[in-house]
Amino acid sequence: MFDELLFSPEPPAGDAAYAGGGACLPQALAWPRDAEGVPLTHLLAIPGSWFCPALKGSGYWVSLFIPYQPGEVAHYRRLRAREGACEAVVMGYLRAAAERHEAPAPLLERGSIRLLANADPDDDENLASKLDGVDAWLQSALSFPAGRRRLSIYGGDLDQALPAHKGILSDGMGYLFLDEDFAARTGAQLGGFFLQLG
């Protein structure tokens, strides 16, 4: 049994996880940028309680930002693991009321992400999109210095939530890592995100 991520183009409820759209970052937190100063694209927003039940009702969220321009594929290379790092940014924050859009070409489309208990066995060959569970690598094993893998996201599943932006993760697998102490901090550098292509 494992917790499967179900992606849908249906608009998310106010407190539900979602793909695309903007991030409800407080104004005190700077929107993340790449090394050239270009604002990154918001890809996912997940309630912190998915990763730490003690955060339920706290308003703590985790968002993933990537270097992405619609119609281009250069970001695939920029999301590869290189010496334990890549150009994605993982942020934790107390959710603000207003949604911000600061990327040059934001993903205005928003799709929902839900958790579904899947009764099938989980093992190291299960490449489903999932929360925690058994590590299943599309290529070689990945590690992150201060944390562990918390989400696995299959590109084809993500396409279900963002049908106007298919191919953001190609046919690959994205792996979100969070630091063990992420819940005690806000801001950037709470983890990492890496893309593996088949």
Side-chain angles (χ1 to χ4, degrees):
M1 177 176 273
F2 62 97
D3 289 325
E4 186 172 9
L5 301 178
L6 182 64
F7 291 83
S8 166
E10 298 172 10
D15 59 350
Y18 62 94
C24 295
L25 289 179
Q27 289 296 327
L29 289 179
W31 190 275
R33 296 171 177 268
D34 67 14
E36 286 75 43
V38 178
L40 298 176
T41 298
H42 181 255
L43 185 62
L44 302 173
I46 308 287
S49 58
W50 279 25
F51 310 110
C52 177
L55 291 174
K56 188 168 184 172
S58 69
Y60 188 99
W61 282 65
V62 173
S63 274
L64 169 63
F65 299 82
I66 65 170
Y68 171 72
Q69 292 292 322
E72 297 182 7
V73 296
H75 66 286
Y76 297 158
R77 183 179 67 255
R78 299 172 71 185
L79 292 176
R80 286 186 321 196
R82 292 183 186 151
E83 299 178 5
C86 84
E87 295 186 41
V89 172
V90 180
M91 293 188 73
Y93 54 95
L94 294 177
R95 190 175 182 182
E99 190 172 282
R100 292 165 56 187
H101 298 270
E102 298 185 20
L107 301 174
L108 298 177
E109 183 178 34
R110 295 172 88 220
S112 63
I113 310 170
R114 293 180 297 163
L115 282 179
L116 175 70
N118 189 317
D120 292 341
D122 191 19
D123 58 33
D124 63 3
E125 294 184 358
N126 178 17
L127 293 173
S129 295
K130 61 186 175 180
L131 171 70
D132 294 326
V134 178
D135 290 338
W137 311 113
L138 187 60
Q139 297 176 358
S140 58
L142 292 170
S143 63
F144 193 70
R148 61 187 172 98
R149 181 200 52 82
R150 302 304 306 271
L151 292 180
S152 298
I153 302 164
Y154 169 56
D157 290 340
L158 179 64
D159 289 349
Q160 299 300 310
L162 302 171
H165 296 280
K166 289 184 177 180
I168 292 176
L169 298 183
S170 184
D171 194 25
M173 293 289 295
Y175 299 99
L176 175 71
F177 288 74
L178 286 176
D179 293 350
E180 294 294 347
D181 67 344
F182 82 94
R185 297 182 285 134
T186 59
Q189 309 307 323
L190 295 187
F193 180 80
F194 307 100
L195 177 64
Q196 291 188 339
L197 299 178

